[in-house]
């Protein structure tokens, strides 16, 4: 299937590993010129051939610096994928094991800086180019935005804000040809889920059970209809489809194996 992406340009935040890395790979395979921004440039990202920019997207000037460099290199931006997220596993554990009474302001601020403000700032910087080219923004969120109380609460609430940003972008700039779409994964087999020092493993240790047992309990507790987690490639495929030319905007696509049961 030809997604009509050949010759377009894209910026992907957080493309050094996991979902972001697979988004970079798939966009390149479709003939898209890609710039990726992240705090570290992994060997895997280097191997893709994408132009990699080292940048801390949680800082006030990081997203604009990435967009400015990408626009200068690419000549303009057709696609912006705001994918960066998660950050330090310890911050996720903090958000999952504390309540409103004990979770400090710093935890809320760091969650919003990484998951919401990075996307807001990147989108704002890219909009002139996106308007000129009738482009698209894809925000990678989480089913946590719909299951807020499940924790990590600061992460989940920041994703609620990100989902609202998608709606606002679609509404305010749709008449100028810009589309905005959210893709919300459930559990995915990235380092967060599988690594021995990842979020799931750390929470398991805090509860005194094995990593594998915690994974099994989590899948059962969430009621995953397919009985398995999604792969990074599966999420990336949905993101790339959303970025392809179409008339879809302002929506939130779930890819969660059937965790969210409501319409």
């Amino acid at each position: 299937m030809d997604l009509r992406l050949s010759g377009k340009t894209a910026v992907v935040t957080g493309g050094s590993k996991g979902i972001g890395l697979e988004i970079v790979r798939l966009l390149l395979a479709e003939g898209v010129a890609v710039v990726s921004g992240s705090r570290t440039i992994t060997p895997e990202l280097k191997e893709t051939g994408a132009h990699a920019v080292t940048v801390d997207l949680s800082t006030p000037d990081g997203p604009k610096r990435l967009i400015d460099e990408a626009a200068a290199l690419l000549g303009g931006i057709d696609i912006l994928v705001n994918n960066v997220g998660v950050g330090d596993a310890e911050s996720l554990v903090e958000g999952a094991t504390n309540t409103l009474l004990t979770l400090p302001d710093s935890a809320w601020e760091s969650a919003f800086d990484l998951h919401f403000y990075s996307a807001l700032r990147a989108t704002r910087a890219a909009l002139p180019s996106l308007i000129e080219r009738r482009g698209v923004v894809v925000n990678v969120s989480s089913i946590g935005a719909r299951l807020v109380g499940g924790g990590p609460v600061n992460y989940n609430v920041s994703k609620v804000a990100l989902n609202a940003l998608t709606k606002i972008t679609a509404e305010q700039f749709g008449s100028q040809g810009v589309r905005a779409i959210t893709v919300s994964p459930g559990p995915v087999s990235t380092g967060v889920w599988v690594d021995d020092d990842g979020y799931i493993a750390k929470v398991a240790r805090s509860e005194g059970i094995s990593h594998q047992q915690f994974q099994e309990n989590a899948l059962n507790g969430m009621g995953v209809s397919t009985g398995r987690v999604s792969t990074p490639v599966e999420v990336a495929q949905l993101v790339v489809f959303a970025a392809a030319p179409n008339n879809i905007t302002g929506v939130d696509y779930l890819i969660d194996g059937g965790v969210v049961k409501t319409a």
Side-chain angles (χ1 to χ4, degrees), residues 36 109 113 199 262:
S36 176
E109 290 163 0
D113 283 342
Y199 165 65
T262 54

Side-chain angles (χ1 to χ4, degrees), residues 24-255:
V24 170
R25 286 170 171 161
L26 288 181
L27 286 172
L28 289 168
E30 292 291 332
V32 179
V34 180
V35 171
S36 176
S38 55
R39 286 186 299 180
T40 59
I41 299 174
T42 60
E44 292 81 7
L45 178 57
K46 285 183 179 179
E47 289 172 4
T48 67
H51 182 80
V53 177
T54 302
V55 60
D56 185 349
L57 293 159
S58 68
T59 61
D61 62 341
K64 186 177 186 304
R65 184 168 70 81
L66 170 64
I67 295 300
D68 287 348
E69 184 168 338
L73 179 71
L74 301 171
I77 299 167
D78 296 299
I79 301 163
L80 170 62
V81 182
N82 288 310
N83 165 78
V84 70
V86 177
D88 181 15
E90 293 292 348
S91 66
L92 292 180
V93 175
E94 184 181 25
T97 56
N98 282 271
T99 69
L100 291 177
L101 284 173
T102 57
L103 190 62
D105 284 358
S106 59
W108 292 96
E109 290 163 0
S110 62
F112 270 78
D113 283 342
L114 185 61
H115 305 111
F116 174 73
Y117 280 111
S118 69
L120 171 63
R121 291 161 177 156
T123 301
R124 189 164 54 204
L127 268 169
S129 188
L130 294 171
I131 291 169
E132 180 184 359
R133 290 169 170 250
R134 303 181 71 83
V136 58
V137 180
V138 182
N139 292 322
V140 180
S141 184
S142 167
I143 61 168
R146 301 197 188 197
L147 307 171
V148 182
V153 292
N154 52 343
Y155 171 87
N156 288 349
V157 174
S158 71
K159 291 296 191 179
V160 175
L162 180 62
N163 288 12
L165 179 63
T166 298
K167 297 285 189 182
I168 292 166
T169 306
E171 182 65 21
Q172 291 188 351
F173 299 98
S175 64
Q176 297 176 74
V178 176
R179 297 184 299 115
I181 297 163
T182 299
V183 170
S184 292
V188 182
S189 57
T190 62
V192 171
W193 186 264
V194 303
D195 286 357
D196 288 337
D197 61 349
Y199 165 65
I200 294 297
K202 288 179 182 292
V203 175
R205 284 195 290 272
S206 74
E207 296 189 2
I209 62 176
S210 71
H211 188 178
Q212 181 179 354
Q213 186 61 58
F214 188 92
Q215 289 174 325
E216 293 174 1
N217 293 349
L219 286 176
N220 291 333
M222 287 186 287
V224 180
S225 302
T226 61
R228 68 173 181 88
V229 300
S230 302
T231 67
V233 171
E234 288 171 329
V235 179
Q237 288 170 335
L238 180 54
V239 170
V240 173
F241 165 76
N246 57 58
N247 197 36
I248 301 167
T249 194
V251 298
D252 179 14
Y253 281 124
L254 297 177
I255 177 165

